[in-house]
Amino acid sequence: MNNRYYYTSDRRSRLITSIVVTVTALLSLLAGYYSHGGYFMAWVLSLVAGVAGLYALSIPRYIEIGQEAIEIHCVLELTTIRYEDLVSIRKLQPSDMRYCFPLLGSYGFFGYYGYYYNLLYWDVVKVYAGCWNNFVELEDIYEQRYIVSCDDPDAMIADLKAADNTPDRTKD
């Protein structure tokens, strides 16, 4: 039983992505036009391209519910959470995420992903979301919280409980 839940971008994420790409391209063109060469401009453009590349490599693609574990696939990163390590699985409302702010990650540039600080619980959570709704929180035995999003969170929670085959440990 391998079920995949693909990430879809919301309208705000697509808008932020297009604005950031357009502004970055315009600033790069203006900097290239008005600069007279030199190492400083090449260094700045290389830095901007490197940071954009790192963001692009961390874009979440899909969630796969496998036989042994749940896998969160990004372009280059793979996060695996074994079922026996899961402590709780619960659905979150967008209002529960109101107090989460990005520490190291993206807030709308190709989605919402990275390390976020939650002011409500005073801890750091790992977020993998394509849109800012339909959240599911996964907590493991190491007290690491993962927040993912998908189009049908209720079906994903049901699939996780069916694949887990252990007593219900979900917190309400």
Side-chain angles (χ1 to χ4, degrees):
M1 172 177 119
N2 286 347
N3 292 337
R4 284 190 179 179
Y5 294 91
Y6 290 93
Y7 285 101
T8 56
S9 297
D10 61 356
R11 185 174 165 200
R12 181 172 62 176
S13 175
R14 289 191 301 266
L15 179 66
I16 291 172
T17 301
S18 62
I19 289 172
V20 168
V21 168
T22 303
V23 168
T24 304
L26 286 175
L27 288 177
S28 298
L29 288 174
L30 285 173
Y33 180 75
Y34 285 114
S35 74
H36 300 292
Y39 70 92
F40 183 71
M41 185 46 63
W43 182 81
V44 169
L45 290 177
S46 297
L47 181 68
V48 169
V51 169
L54 287 174
Y55 272 103
L57 291 175
S58 299
I59 299 170
R61 306 307 304 156
Y62 61 90
I63 302 167
E64 185 170 2
I65 298 174
Q67 299 293 332
E68 302 290 324
I70 179 172
E71 298 176 345
I72 304 167
H73 291 261
C74 297
V75 172
L76 191 65
E77 179 185 2
L78 172 66
T79 302
T80 304
I81 307 167
R82 297 180 317 166
Y83 294 128
E84 57 263 13
D85 292 344
L86 281 175
V87 173
S88 73
I89 304 164
R90 68 184 183 115
K91 185 178 176 181
L92 294 177
Q93 299 299 323
S95 61
D96 296 332
M97 295 293 291
R98 158 180 9 155
Y99 301 105
C100 288
F101 300 100
L103 285 178
L104 182 62
S106 171
Y107 187 78
F109 184 64
F110 288 109
Y112 309 90
Y113 50 90
Y115 292 97
Y116 280 54
Y117 188 73
N118 190 333
L119 291 174
L120 194 61
Y121 298 110
W122 291 77
D123 66 346
V124 176
V125 296
K126 187 83 185 240
V127 176
Y128 299 97
C131 55
W132 201 248
N133 58 6
N134 298 329
F135 294 113
V136 175
E137 180 188 65
L138 308 168
E139 185 176 354
D140 64 9
I141 59 174
Y142 308 107
E143 296 181 359
Q144 174 65 47
R145 294 181 13 194
Y146 303 90
I147 297 174
V148 299
S149 72
C150 65
D151 289 337
D152 192 3
D154 295 324
M156 186 177 124
I157 291 172
D159 287 344
L160 281 170
K161 287 181 181 178
D164 190 358
N165 292 329
T166 58
D168 189 14
R169 298 174 296 194
T170 303
K171 296 179 187 173
D172 290 327

